[in-house]
Amino acid sequence: MALLDILTFPDPRLRTKAQPVTVVDAMIRTLVDDMLETMYGAPGIGLAANQVNAAKRVIVIDISENRNEPHVFINPRLEVAGGRVETDEGCLSVPGFYEPVTRRERVHVEALDQHGEPFTLEAEGLLSVCIQHECDHLEGKLFVDYLSNLKRARIRQKLSKSQRARA
């Protein structure tokens, strides 16, 4: 397993729409393992493949307290259900910022697991929010897109400035 570099906003590669996985093979399973290691090491609770510059429809999530209940979603298809909930969201690609975002309270997901087996999941609460957040990444969308233009511009400016300072 390997730690992968996480792209940070406003990197244009984060806007790349992820492509479907055609075969769940050793390469995809290695990507999943590396994404899990990267997510845990960050630390975070979710990661989409295009956040690590792999334009594949793969997400990993673990919201468990002990960080030992990973969820893997390959080619997830999402159906929103239920009411709306507002939560403070953060993102490994937008480090240090947490802003309120409104999402659906419950979702139904169909996907493949890391072995290529299909499954369905009904999720609610934090898991539902996290799935929606990560599925947005697969479409090239970030949580900052739900914010006002002014807030998004301020975040972009601060992150760009800190990236230049590190270069």
Side-chain angles (χ1 to χ4, degrees):
M1 292 197 297
L3 284 176
L4 305 171
D5 290 331
I6 298 172
L7 303 176
T8 55
F9 178 72
D11 191 311
R13 294 173 290 180
L14 289 167
R15 299 305 185 170
T16 302
K17 188 172 180 178
Q19 298 302 307
V21 172
T22 55
V23 178
V24 179
D25 57 11
M27 186 177 80
I28 293 299
R29 286 189 291 278
T30 297
L31 174 63
V32 166
D33 290 343
D34 291 347
M35 287 174 61
L36 285 166
E37 183 175 350
T38 302
M39 177 188 72
Y40 290 134
I45 61 171
L47 188 67
N50 49 349
Q51 287 181 272
V52 293
N53 201 28
K56 299 287 184 190
R57 296 189 70 77
V58 177
I59 62 176
V60 296
I61 296 172
D62 189 342
I63 61 167
S64 68
E65 208 170 292
N66 294 325
R67 318 283 290 150
N68 61 353
E69 297 176 29
H71 294 276
V72 175
F73 302 86
I74 299 171
N75 297 335
R77 288 183 308 283
L78 197 60
E79 290 181 32
V80 293
R84 296 188 176 273
V85 61
E86 182 179 271
T87 57
D88 280 348
E89 285 190 30
C91 181
L92 294 176
S93 291
V94 189
F97 292 90
Y98 298 86
E99 295 290 339
V101 175
T102 300
R103 297 207 185 256
R104 292 296 186 152
E105 197 169 29
R106 290 186 309 280
V107 295
H108 172 86
V109 184
E110 295 178 7
L112 301 175
D113 66 15
Q114 65 268 35
H115 307 291
E117 297 297 321
F119 72 95
T120 61
L121 177 70
E122 303 291 328
E124 60 184 23
L126 179 58
L127 182 57
S128 171
V129 168
C130 196
I131 291 169
Q132 292 170 77
H133 176 107
E134 299 307 331
C135 283
D136 274 354
H137 277 296
L138 299 180
E139 300 301 321
K141 189 171 185 176
L142 302 171
F143 90 94
V144 296
D145 296 339
Y146 292 94
L147 307 178
S148 71
N149 289 337
L150 178 62
K151 276 188 180 180
R152 189 170 45 255
R154 286 195 349 229
I155 291 170
R156 176 190 313 264
Q157 182 180 27
K158 287 180 182 179
L159 288 175
S160 293
K161 185 178 178 181
S162 70
Q163 288 169 7
R164 284 192 304 271
R166 282 181 286 175

